[in-house]
Amino acid sequence: MVPKEESALKAKWKAAPLSAKLAAAMAAVVFAAMLALNCLTPYAADDYTFSFSYATGERLTGLWSVLESQWYHYFHWSGRFIIKCLAQGFTILPKAVFNLLNAAVYAGLGLVLHRLALGQRRRFDPAVLALIYLSLWMVSPVFGQTNLWMCGSVNYLWATFFCMAALVPYALYLNRAFAPRRWLAPACLLGGLVAGWASENTSAGLLVALVLCVGFFLWRDKKAPLWAWLGLAGALAGFALLILAPGNYQRQDAAADPRGPLTILAVRFLTALDQLVSSGGLVLLVLFAVLFCLLVMQKPGAAGLFRPLVFFAAALGANFAMILSPVYYPRSTHGVFTFLTAACAACAVQLDGKQMRRALAAGAAGLTMAAAVQFVWAGYDIASFFVMRQTREAALLESAAAGETEVVTYAIESYTRWCAGWGLPDLRQDPADWVCADTAKYYGLDSLSASEARTYPFPGKTNTAFETGEIADP
């Protein structure tokens, strides 16, 4: 006999419009693809470091040891307490747990961006959802670092997800006011706190968006609801806990810049500008300009024009917040490009006319073909890297079991930006280097280093390490 709940779900699925079914199928395919890539992604770089307590240097064993480690980390290294707790917490769980959750967060991020673009519109837009997922896949300059690497995914993918999710009620309220449920106010306060405490630049972009939304509510309705104020207050509190962490200033003091303040700001501004237009960022900027002009020609209401501008302003805020940081890594563009994707999507969902809708669908179809080719490249690269890492790990475990304490092995280099190993430090020649030291500690060795770099054949691509068998000096 079929349970009532199951029958109700089947009836709901049958009654759902085709657009909703297509969106669900798309999210399921993305989840399955990301799960496969996550399963083929081994530990790398900081993952080994995060397996040990910053407070005691011992291997993490449970929740208390993670909290103790991050309490020390907060006062001596970084303010990302919640994010780093998650990153360290995953090292004490089976990797399969992270694989499942990370694939779900990635698929969920696309759905959240879709909802931010739609607002209170009930009808799904499969073409725009496809374009959102394609942007997340194709634009990132270091996809593997921000979406597959365990430490990097939590710091960037998860942080971005928290920030985007915190914006959902504001995006819904932009369409028109609604009577909130009782739980919305405390949920916004907590969600704002977590999102504001997540990432220095993405959280800064979130604050820009929240302030603009509250300002719009005050202009339109002459007041803003309690939950909107609480969400903003929570985000401000979280951001203060993030930025004012004592560990941030210990690191700043240890790396003083001898240049003048104007020179520093000018160089950092130009660096931020370069990161914004590098990789696929310029494509998103041009696409936003085109879509926004088409939207203006349709003469939508104030809320319709304001929505994409909020996300665009948030992207600029997230990007140029990095002026305050001495270093702007490519992976820090994750939140920036996600906000830009949301801005483009918020324009696209409002464009009317059969020809326009057909153009969006055709564009999504064409880019899907290109992404499919990229997925084959990425899958081969990621799988090959995984096999080589498994082979090296088996040799390291065998050496440790045999009682060897000082091991010299090889580094492994990958080819594409979709592989987590691309752009991340692997084993080096100096056993005292932090990557070598932490990896050696993880495998129970006293010393570990690499005497050469190895890779694998990749048709159409070259890698000097494969040709020379040498590893560059650090």
Side-chain angles (χ1 to χ4, degrees), residues 35 41 51 65 131 144 150 171 173 196 260 317 349 361 364 371 379 386 423 425 451 454:
L35 179 60
T41 300
S51 298
S65 64
L131 290 169
M150 189 164 75
Y173 207 80
V349 296
F386 176 76
S451 60
R454 298 181 186 177

Side-chain angles (χ1 to χ4, degrees), residues 21 35 44 195 208 301 309 348 369 393 434 466:
K21 293 177 180 178
L35 179 60
V208 170
L309 290 176
M369 292 296 292
E393 182 179 47
W434 70 270
F466 181 69

Side-chain angles (χ1 to χ4, degrees), residues 377 380-389 391-392 409-416 419 421-423 426-427 450-472:
W377 288 343
Y380 173 78
D381 192 29
I382 292 168
S384 300
F385 184 78
F386 176 76
V387 170
M388 286 195 71
R389 284 293 303 272
T391 302
R392 189 179 71 181
T409 181
Y410 53 89
I412 304 171
E413 295 187 1
S414 56
Y415 286 91
T416 70
C419 181
W422 194 80
D426 194 23
L427 298 180
S451 60
E452 62 175 347
R454 298 181 186 177
T455 186
Y456 34 88
F458 200 118
K461 292 183 179 290
T462 59
N463 188 313
T464 55
F466 181 69
E467 295 170 0
T468 65
E470 297 175 355
I471 181 170

